[in-house]
Amino acid sequence: MSATVLEQSVLGSRRLSNFLVAAAVSIGGIGFLLASLSSYLGYDVLPFGHPATLIFVPQGLVMGLYSIAAVLLASYLWYVIAVDVGSGSNRFDKSTGVVTINRRGFRRPLSIEFPLRDVRAVKLEVRDGFNARRRVSLRIQGRRDMSLTRVGEPLPLAQLEQDGAELARFLGVNLESL
């Protein structure tokens, strides 16, 4: 961090949890496909269980449909991981007076720029429970609040407070919390 520029990197979809979910869906889809093939062919293709004893219509057919759904979902998950959707940076430049927020999207990069003078406050939002939310966002004049933190796993409270305080101190604005 220099005196005039603060740049923060944002983690995208290349997280361990996403890799584990994509791998589990892929393995499950292969398992359903092999069970469906075993049912159709009449002998066990899977090294465990006895899916050849299943009647192809309707049980083997439904397992084949499950395998197609799993392959489509796994393809989507692996694509999101490969592209690293959501990764990017937040850049606050006092010398030019511009805030630049860059993120990777599905098809193309997204970039938002607005004047630094429009930033009214740094807001910390903490909501625990089933749909937990912990994020740092900017209060911008004439716009909705702009979230700066990653999507997915909530940040630890200490990290959230430290990031928010550092940003508010750098920008010279108030730190708000809910």
Side-chain angles (χ1 to χ4, degrees):
M1 176 172 100
S2 72
T4 60
V5 176
L6 173 66
E7 186 152 357
Q8 304 168 329
S9 63
V10 178
L11 181 66
S13 59
R14 288 186 187 160
R15 294 188 308 256
L16 179 62
S17 61
N18 288 348
F19 279 104
L20 293 176
V21 169
V25 170
S26 299
I27 291 168
I30 291 169
F32 276 118
L33 177 66
L34 293 177
S36 178
L37 278 174
S38 296
S39 172
Y40 179 74
L41 297 173
Y43 61 90
D44 291 330
V45 178
L46 274 174
F48 53 88
H50 299 289
T53 60
L54 296 174
I55 303 168
F56 181 69
V57 176
Q59 294 166 329
L61 190 60
V62 169
M63 287 191 160
L65 294 175
Y66 283 158
S67 72
I68 292 171
V71 164
L72 292 174
L73 179 60
S75 299
Y76 168 77
L77 292 171
W78 288 116
Y79 175 75
V80 166
I81 290 170
V83 172
D84 199 17
V85 172
S87 66
S89 64
N90 306 321
R91 182 178 171 89
F92 306 93
D93 193 345
K94 286 183 177 179
S95 62
T96 61
V98 174
V99 175
T100 306
I101 298 174
N102 294 309
R103 297 288 187 276
R104 280 191 146 160
F106 282 100
R107 294 184 196 100
R108 58 186 162 84
L110 306 171
S111 183
I112 299 171
E113 287 188 358
F114 52 90
L116 198 57
R117 67 178 179 278
D118 288 351
V119 177
R120 296 294 168 230
V122 175
K123 178 178 154 186
L124 299 180
E125 189 175 346
V126 178
R127 185 175 61 195
D128 290 324
F130 180 69
N131 190 14
R133 175 184 285 180
R134 293 180 183 171
R135 69 178 183 178
V136 177
S137 56
L138 293 177
R139 287 244 163 166
I140 304 167
Q141 180 179 353
R143 290 187 176 196
R144 295 175 44 195
D145 292 347
M146 180 81 54
S147 180
L148 299 177
T149 53
R150 66 183 185 216
V151 177
E153 302 157 356
L155 291 171
L157 284 175
Q159 180 70 37
L160 183 77
E161 290 173 352
Q162 181 182 355
D163 291 349
E166 177 186 346
L167 181 58
R169 196 175 313 112
F170 179 80
L171 296 176
V173 296
N174 292 332
L175 179 64
E176 299 177 356
S177 66
L178 292 177

